[in-house]
């Protein structure tokens, strides 16, 4: 996909990855696509940020394997507060994620590391647009 065909956005994304370097690169990629990004390297801090203002975010992009609280656990806690929020798991270790787990939790997408701008843009836009369609919102 060429850069000219990458769909951009303006939504606010909660980004969670326990590796600061990965979080920084992802934040830059998403910001270049026009998204407003709040990033955390702690899933616990990310949850506290979400809990403080659940309506502030349009999407959550979280790593799967993290200390103290994995991405699936974070997703469950977030969706207990706001069930309709779209969540994408970003993982480098696909053996720990099953299609059944994703469906049971309500996760909307799974990205495999390493990420490219094109992969990120395509998945995020598809999930956001699908969420809007299901909620009856048109752009």
């Amino acid at each position: 996909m060429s850069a000219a065909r990458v769909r951009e956005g303006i939504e606010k994304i909660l980004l969670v990855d326990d590796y600061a370097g990965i979080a920084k690169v992802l934040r830059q990629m998403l910001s270049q696509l026009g998204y407003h990004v709040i990033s955390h390297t702690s899933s616990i801090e990310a949850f506290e940020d979400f809990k403080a203002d659940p309506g502030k975010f349009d999407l959550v992009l979280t790593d799967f394997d993290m200390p103290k609280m994995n991405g699936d656990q974070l997703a469950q806690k977030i969706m207990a507060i706001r069930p309709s929020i779209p969540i994408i798991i970003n993982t480098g270790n696909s053996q720990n994620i099953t299609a059944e787990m994703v469906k049971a939790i309500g996760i909307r997408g799974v990205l495999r590391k390493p990420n490219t701008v094109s992969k990120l843009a395509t998945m995020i836009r598809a999930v956001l647009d699908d969420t809007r369609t299901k909620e009856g919102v048109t752009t």
Side-chain angles (χ1 to χ4, degrees), residues 22-35 37 115-120:
I22 292 173
K24 180 180 179 182
V25 168
L26 288 172
R27 186 175 61 246
Q28 289 171 341
M29 292 166 87
L30 293 168
S31 294
Q32 288 173 352
L33 290 167
Y35 295 105
V37 183
N115 299 117
T116 64
V117 172
S118 178
K119 279 180 19 178
L120 277 172

Side-chain angles (χ1 to χ4, degrees), residues 12-28 30 36-53 56-57 59-67 69 71 74 78 90 113:
K12 190 171 241 182
I13 296 175
L14 175 60
L15 170 65
V16 190
D17 198 299
D18 58 316
Y19 288 103
I22 292 173
K24 180 180 179 182
V25 168
L26 288 172
R27 186 175 61 246
Q28 289 171 341
L30 293 168
H36 302 277
V37 183
I38 304 293
S39 65
H40 290 278
T41 55
S42 162
S43 51
I44 293 170
E45 289 176 11
F47 178 66
E48 291 301 319
D49 191 6
F50 181 85
K51 191 168 68 169
D53 187 0
K56 154 168 102 168
F57 300 104
L59 180 135
V60 177
L61 175 62
T62 181
D63 188 16
F64 182 78
D65 290 312
M66 294 184 289
M69 183 180 357
L74 175 62
I78 285 173
N90 189 34
K113 293 178 185 177

Side-chain angles (χ1 to χ4, degrees), residues 59-131:
L59 180 135
V60 177
L61 175 62
T62 181
D63 188 16
F64 182 78
D65 290 312
M66 294 184 289
K68 298 184 182 173
M69 183 180 357
N70 275 337
D72 61 326
Q73 296 165 324
L74 175 62
Q76 289 172 338
K77 289 182 80 141
I78 285 173
M79 290 181 9
I81 294 171
R82 189 172 148 208
S84 64
I85 184 129
I87 299 176
I88 298 172
I89 295 284
N90 189 34
T91 184
N93 188 357
S94 60
Q95 292 116 337
N96 293 338
I97 296 181
T98 65
E100 294 80 21
M101 175 195 299
V102 169
K103 185 176 181 183
I105 295 171
I107 292 167
R108 307 280 178 93
V110 177
L111 280 168
R112 308 286 180 205
K113 293 178 185 177
N115 299 117
T116 64
V117 172
S118 178
K119 279 180 19 178
L120 277 172
T122 300
M123 173 70 73
I124 289 170
R125 209 53 271 150
V127 167
L128 285 169
D129 291 349
D130 183 58
T131 300

